[in-house]
């Protein structure tokens, strides 16, 4: 029997959406628990990591978004076929995490207006281009990370980071990165992901 899955997070895409994408793609049932800040303060001490996202699998908690994604990726066979596939996926997820951490520092790191502007400029001119150049190197011309030409946890995670680029740096020119744009399209136009995007709660980020 499949375990019972509960994803615990806020009412946001944030660091949880990659997990939701996996459940959407695989059609696996789960409980999508979304807490307000106020509710979170009340339950925080019951979650061993005191951080979300956390995935409750039956009675066991897994914290850390990328640990959850890798766990589900292995379970649902979304990590390519070879050890090298898995390593390339891990590299892409690492790059995606570097971009995500930069945006989180920029948006929620308590920076003043001037510091936020400076951080945005650094993201736009240094951090994001460096990562996107790696994606262009790693992706096939049709936008896949592995020769399986199927979506893996690498494309799912990375596509969400590209959406953060669109959200937080709206004038960033993505057209210079055509494989990355294809990869994003492969994910959001996948019928199961597209159906989830259409029905998911509308949130700011
Ligand atoms: N590296 C962690 C970061 C987790 C994290 O920073 N979670 C934030 C929300 S995105 C959180 O739990 N904030 C509430 C709190 O710390 O009380 C991951 O990827 O899961």
């Amino acid at each position: 029997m499949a375990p019972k899955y509960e994803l615990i997070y806020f009412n946001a895409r944030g660091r949880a959406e990659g997990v939701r994408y996996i459940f959407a793609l695989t059609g696996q049932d789960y409980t999508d628990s979304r807490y307000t800040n106020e509710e979170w303060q009340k339950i925080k001490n019951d979650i061993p990591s005191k951080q979300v996202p956390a995935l409750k699998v039956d009675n066991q908690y897994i914290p850390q978004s990328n640990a959850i994604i890798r766990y589900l990726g292995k379970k649902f066979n979304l990590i390519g076929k070879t050890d090298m596939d898995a390593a390339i996926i891990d590299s892409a997820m690492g790059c995606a995490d570097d971009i995500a951490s930069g945006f989180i520092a920029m948006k929620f790191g308590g920076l003043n207006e001037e510091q936020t502007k400076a951080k945005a400029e650094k993201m736009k001119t240094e951090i994001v281009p460096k990562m996107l150049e790696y994606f262009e190197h790693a992706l096939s011309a049709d936008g896949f990370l592995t020769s399986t030409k199927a979506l893996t946890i690498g494309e799912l995670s990375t596509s969400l980071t590209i959406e953060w680029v669109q959200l937080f740096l709206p004038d960033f020119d993505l057209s210079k990165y055509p494989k990355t744009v294809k990869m994003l399209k492969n994910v959001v136009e996948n019928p199961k992901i597209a159906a989830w995007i259409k029905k998911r709660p509308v949130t700011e980020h």
Side-chain angles (χ1 to χ4, degrees):
M1 201 171 78
K4 220 169 137 210
Y5 295 106
E6 180 187 1
L7 175 64
I8 301 156
Y9 198 58
F10 298 111
N11 185 27
R13 301 189 299 284
R15 288 196 182 268
E17 196 63 10
V19 182
R20 297 190 187 110
Y21 271 15
I22 295 175
F23 286 132
L25 188 65
T26 57
Q28 173 63 51
D29 276 345
Y30 72 111
T31 305
D32 189 11
S33 295
R34 295 167 182 251
Y35 290 94
T36 63
N37 262 321
E38 207 179 31
E39 291 165 337
W40 166 243
Q41 293 311 324
K42 289 186 192 143
I43 64 150
K44 184 170 177 161
N45 286 331
D46 301 332
I47 310 288
S49 58
K50 297 179 178 42
Q51 256 193 341
V52 282
L55 182 70
K56 197 173 174 198
V57 184
D58 290 331
N59 289 317
Q60 209 162 346
Y61 287 97
I62 307 173
Q64 291 291 338
S65 52
N66 283 340
I68 300 168
I69 286 172
R70 287 193 180 95
Y71 169 80
L72 295 175
K74 283 183 193 148
K75 262 216 156 357
F76 295 117
N77 199 19
L78 297 172
I79 53 167
K81 285 228 169 341
T82 65
D83 287 348
M84 184 55 80
D85 284 345
I88 298 299
I89 290 166
D90 273 354
S91 307
M93 286 174 64
C95 290
D97 206 46
D98 285 353
I99 297 181
S101 302
F103 283 132
I104 287 171
M106 179 180 124
K107 279 293 280 185
F108 309 107
L111 303 183
N112 64 30
E113 202 177 318
E114 200 180 313
Q115 291 166 327
T116 303
K117 260 192 183 159
K119 180 77 183 170
E121 190 57 24
K122 193 175 165 73
M123 290 300 290
K124 187 175 163 183
T125 57
E126 285 178 41
I127 316 270
V128 173
K130 186 162 69 178
M131 300 303 161
L132 291 184
E133 274 157 33
Y134 173 67
F135 293 156
E136 289 297 298
H137 166 82
L139 288 162
S140 62
D142 50 1
F144 290 99
L145 283 167
T146 72
S147 58
T148 61
K149 307 275 183 200
L151 293 180
T152 69
I153 55 172
E155 288 89 357
L156 298 180
S157 299
T158 310
S159 74
L160 287 160
T161 306
I162 304 307
E163 288 184 352
W164 285 29
V165 174
Q166 292 173 315
L167 184 67
F168 295 128
L169 299 176
D171 60 347
F172 188 90
D173 183 11
L174 270 179
S175 68
K176 287 191 219 149
Y177 307 95
K179 296 179 184 174
T180 304
V181 171
K182 274 220 165 94
M183 183 264 303
L184 175 59
K185 209 164 136 55
N186 290 340
V187 174
V188 296
E189 291 183 1
N190 172 283
K192 290 180 177 156
I193 302 284
W196 163 247
I197 291 174
K198 207 167 157 198
K199 75 168 191 191
R200 72 185 172 192
V202 176
T203 57
E204 194 186 336
H205 46 72

